Amino acid sequence: MPIDVWKEVFFSDNPSPQHVELFIKLLVGEPRLVLEEAARKVRYEEIPDTVIVWRDPVPLVAVASLYAVSEATGKLKIIVVEPMPALLSEAVTVVASELNAGTYPVTYNIGYGRERVAEQLRKVVRIVRGASAQTVDVSDAPGALGVALHRAGVRRFTVVRRRGYEVLIERFSL
């Protein structure tokens, strides 16, 4: 039975892992085509200059699609939260090379004690300040990274919401 990958992954709040894997393989195989198709399905209130990628490919694809069709100015910055699935890491590499985007890897390991978590978040603050992030999409960010972003001086954020047959990038400020 054929499936509509866009419906199952891009528009669904809880896609199955098999469909997500198929979607990422499509993105890796034909990044330009997938980004152009995604741009037709994305609406936005504000275009973020930075996107955080950890587990879900949809925020990356939604934001990157706007850069692919030249609706956004500047250079996209991708904060990669490690460890992440290998296939998603490959997708980030392909999108970054397709758009000439900057990637900034950060480590987020929980369960190693307060000192190590605090040390990792201080590194995130330095990376975000170095990247000069102004508007950050936090849809796929671990909770503690939001604190680090605020500490780094970021006050404008976006969230990717799936609504019916479109994806909306909503903004909010602190």
Side-chain angles (χ1 to χ4, degrees):
M1 177 168 78
I3 60 165
D4 182 2
V5 176
W6 289 98
K7 180 181 171 193
E8 295 295 329
V9 176
F10 207 63
F11 301 130
S12 175
D13 286 330
N14 196 9
S16 71
Q18 296 88 353
H19 294 150
V20 172
E21 183 178 341
L22 181 59
F23 182 76
I24 292 174
K25 286 180 179 178
L26 285 172
L27 176 63
V28 169
E30 292 290 337
R32 181 58 66 174
L33 292 176
V34 171
L35 293 175
E36 288 173 356
E37 179 67 25
R40 289 191 282 274
K41 300 172 183 342
V42 174
R43 305 290 173 261
Y44 58 91
E45 293 178 353
E46 185 170 354
I47 300 175
D49 63 348
T50 307
V51 62
I52 297 177
V53 182
W54 186 32
R55 298 280 182 245
D56 187 8
V58 173
L60 170 67
V61 172
V63 173
S65 70
L66 299 175
Y67 283 84
V69 296
S70 300
E71 289 195 32
T73 58
K75 184 177 177 182
L76 177 64
K77 300 169 198 90
I78 304 171
I79 296 177
V80 179
V81 181
E82 296 175 345
M84 75 168 23
L87 195 56
L88 185 57
S89 178
E90 186 179 348
V92 169
T93 303
V94 167
V95 169
S97 67
E98 182 73 28
L99 300 177
N100 194 23
T103 57
Y104 302 89
V106 299
T107 304
Y108 182 70
N109 290 326
I110 56 174
Y112 292 112
R114 288 186 294 196
E115 294 81 22
R116 295 190 80 183
V117 171
E119 177 185 324
Q120 289 173 355
L121 293 177
R122 280 192 288 276
K123 288 180 183 177
V124 171
V125 169
R126 286 194 301 270
I127 289 169
V128 170
R129 284 182 179 157
S132 301
Q134 300 297 314
T135 304
V136 179
D137 184 87
V138 293
S139 305
D140 195 29
L145 258 61
V147 174
L149 292 168
H150 191 269
R151 183 82 184 249
V154 177
R155 299 295 185 264
R156 294 190 333 240
F157 301 94
T158 63
V159 177
V160 172
R161 301 272 186 222
R162 296 161 167 113
R163 287 186 10 185
Y165 287 99
E166 71 179 4
V167 172
L168 176 64
I169 300 175
E170 297 178 326
R171 73 169 173 253
F172 66 96
S173 299
L174 295 178

